[in-house]
Amino acid sequence: MLKSKIKTIFLAVSISVIAASMIAFPQQSLDASIRGLNMWWKIVFPSLLPFFIVSEMLIGFGVVKFIGVLLEPLMRPLFKVPGVGGFVWAMSMASGSPSGAKLTARLRQENQLTKLEAERLVSFTNSSNPLFIFGAVSVGFFYNSHLGIILALAHYLGNVTVGLVMRFYGKSEERTSKIKEKRVSIRDAFSALHRTRIKDNRPLGKLLGDAVMSSIQTLLMIGGFIILFSVINKLLFLLGVTAFFAGFVEIILGMTGINGMLSMPFISGLFEITMGSQLTSQVKDSTLLHQIVIVSFILGFSGFSVQAQVASILAPTDIRFKPFFLARLLHGLTAGIYAMLLWKPIYLRFFNTEKPSNALPAMNRLAEEGTKLADYHFMLAGAGPVITLVSLMLYITIYMARIGQKD
């Protein structure tokens, strides 16, 4: 009872301080809000919407079940999740956070995953997509496309490590009945696909409309969280909270041999990965290795903004958030360690040159090899608002049509 009352007081005081701070710093709050809106409007919405819609369609048509049957012999022994987890893992790596949580929650609602399997799966299917790692972070922030290889390897190896560790999660709660090992059969996979499609008897138009509605609703929620945490991050900096905690982080970083100047970017990255990665790249007094280790941790931890999005997506299900949060800590730590271990044998051996990493913005070297991902990233940013606007108009049209049918 006392713990509950303390939590209530803490939450009430926190939100009151945030509200008062927004009144005290209106211009800074507006600027941070616009920054978050631009990120969602230009990048997040247009990049995630196609993946969300296609994923919903694949689940409805039974294709995910088909893939699940084929991947069962791989996913079950390695990660103790059904084969459909392979589809979620692939889609999460391609589209980025929080698509893994959305697909896991969807499959849990359809009982294709048990509660424990869903908690294991969502823990290691949270990742940044290659476009963000190579285009935005490596080229956009560090002006060095080769760094993307180290960041991507550290990030995805960390994901695999989390999955292998999480296979032991919930062992005491799990039923002891053994699952029969079956040989992979294309015939069984097609049978599962057909049964799933028949079970979901929605017409094509209804299925497509539901996919669009569900995807846009999720993305609107994600946009709200991005804007909110952009403002909170700025307010914490203005109130001196970031600097206060950075003092403690500086001591910890000093104990590990990492430059203490990276403490402020590290704290910012705990809230929002884009801002944290950008600030880390701007610390000139630090070595490039230390910067990459910090960015690897930030990408693995995912930031409280992404974690809040995941918590909201998981809320309608019985999937617990705590395992996901602990997995993010593990992912951040392992990604940082992998970045340190891979630095000498890969980056220094194959990609290091005498030129400083920020000698010339790689995004301006359009003809050079290795900048195509960055070009695509900025092209998407240019076309993003149009895609977002058209999608929102489509959402409103479908929503109004369904209201008219009910009347």
Side-chain angles (χ1 to χ4, degrees), residues 183-316:
R183 293 182 62 186
V184 176
S185 168
I186 297 293
R187 183 176 179 179
D188 290 342
F190 273 112
S191 297
L193 183 151
H194 182 65
R195 286 195 304 270
T196 305
R197 190 189 69 80
I198 296 299
K199 184 179 178 182
D200 189 341
N201 56 4
R202 289 175 292 174
L204 177 60
K206 179 71 164 57
L207 183 61
L208 180 59
D210 289 346
V212 171
M213 293 284 287
S214 172
S215 300
I216 293 180
Q217 285 171 359
T218 302
L219 285 166
L220 288 171
M221 178 271 297
I222 290 171
F225 276 112
I226 291 174
I227 294 170
L228 174 64
F229 275 86
S230 180
V231 173
I232 290 175
N233 200 7
K234 184 65 175 180
L235 292 176
L236 291 176
F237 174 78
L238 294 171
L239 293 172
V241 176
T242 304
F244 174 76
F245 285 107
F248 294 100
V249 173
E250 187 173 353
I251 296 172
I252 297 172
L253 292 180
M255 292 170 62
T256 60
I258 296 176
N259 193 326
M261 295 289 290
L262 293 167
S263 58
M264 286 285 281
F266 179 84
I267 295 294
S268 294
L270 293 182
F271 286 88
E272 207 278 305
I273 58 175
T274 306
M275 177 61 74
S277 300
Q278 185 177 28
L279 290 175
T280 301
S281 70
Q282 295 170 352
V283 179
K284 302 302 180 185
D285 295 333
S286 174
T287 64
L288 190 57
L289 171 59
H290 290 172
Q291 289 174 312
I292 295 305
V293 170
I294 293 296
V295 170
S296 294
F297 180 91
I298 290 172
L299 292 176
F301 185 71
S302 298
F304 294 130
S305 176
V306 170
Q307 292 181 26
Q309 296 166 29
V310 171
S312 181
I313 291 170
L314 299 182

Side-chain angles (χ1 to χ4, degrees), residues 362-375:
M363 66 185 78
N364 293 331
R365 295 177 288 170
L366 300 180
E368 280 195 23
E369 186 179 357
T371 61
K372 291 183 180 179
L373 273 172
D375 296 343

Side-chain angles (χ1 to χ4, degrees), residues 324-336:
F324 175 83
F325 176 75
L326 295 176
R328 299 282 58 75
L329 287 172
L330 178 61
H331 190 185
L333 290 171
T334 53

Side-chain angles (χ1 to χ4, degrees), residues 16-274:
S16 298
V17 170
I18 291 172
S21 302
M22 291 175 67
I23 297 171
F25 305 103
Q27 186 58 51
Q28 293 90 335
S29 299
L30 177 62
D31 293 341
S33 180
I34 291 173
R35 177 187 168 275
L37 178 62
N38 283 333
M39 186 190 306
W40 175 78
W41 174 264
K42 293 181 178 180
I43 302 295
V44 175
F45 190 100
S47 62
L48 287 184
L49 181 64
F51 285 96
F52 280 4
I53 294 176
V54 170
S55 298
E56 289 282 343
M57 299 287 285
L58 290 172
I59 292 172
F61 287 139
V63 178
V64 173
K65 194 71 175 176
F66 173 84
I67 295 172
V69 173
L70 296 180
L71 292 181
E72 184 80 12
L74 172 67
M75 299 301 292
R76 183 71 68 179
L78 279 179
F79 306 112
K80 292 191 75 174
V81 298
V84 291
F87 167 80
V88 177
W89 195 17
M91 292 298 287
S92 69
M93 284 194 289
S95 59
S97 306
S99 57
K102 177 174 169 59
L103 294 174
T104 301
R106 181 82 166 79
L107 293 173
R108 174 58 185 148
Q109 289 167 342
E110 292 198 345
N111 290 319
Q112 294 194 41
L113 298 168
T114 66
K115 180 182 175 182
L116 283 173
E117 288 170 347
E119 289 172 351
R120 289 182 189 131
L121 181 61
V122 77
S123 296
F124 73 93
T125 55
N126 184 86
S127 61
S128 296
N129 63 35
L131 177 62
F132 178 76
I133 293 176
F134 282 89
V137 179
S138 177
V139 175
F141 297 156
F142 285 94
Y143 308 140
N144 186 340
S145 58
H146 299 313
L147 289 177
I149 297 172
I150 294 294
L151 290 171
L153 281 173
H155 190 65
Y156 297 125
L157 283 173
N159 246 339
V160 174
T161 304
V162 171
L164 293 174
V165 171
M166 289 300 292
R167 77 184 303 277
F168 301 104
Y169 165 75
K171 205 171 182 181
S172 59
E173 302 177 43
E174 202 166 29
R175 293 176 184 174
T176 54
S177 58
K178 290 186 178 180
I179 298 171
K180 277 188 176 183
E181 291 188 10
K182 297 191 335 184
R183 293 182 62 186
V184 176
S185 168
I186 297 293
R187 183 176 179 179
D188 290 342
F190 273 112
S191 297
L193 183 151
H194 182 65
R195 286 195 304 270
T196 305
R197 190 189 69 80
I198 296 299
K199 184 179 178 182
D200 189 341
N201 56 4
R202 289 175 292 174
L204 177 60
K206 179 71 164 57
L207 183 61
L208 180 59
D210 289 346
V212 171
M213 293 284 287
S214 172
S215 300
I216 293 180
Q217 285 171 359
T218 302
L219 285 166
L220 288 171
M221 178 271 297
I222 290 171
F225 276 112
I226 291 174
I227 294 170
L228 174 64
F229 275 86
S230 180
V231 173
I232 290 175
N233 200 7
K234 184 65 175 180
L235 292 176
L236 291 176
F237 174 78
L238 294 171
L239 293 172
V241 176
T242 304
F244 174 76
F245 285 107
F248 294 100
V249 173
E250 187 173 353
I251 296 172
I252 297 172
L253 292 180
M255 292 170 62
T256 60
I258 296 176
N259 193 326
M261 295 289 290
L262 293 167
S263 58
M264 286 285 281
F266 179 84
I267 295 294
S268 294
L270 293 182
F271 286 88
E272 207 278 305
I273 58 175
T274 306

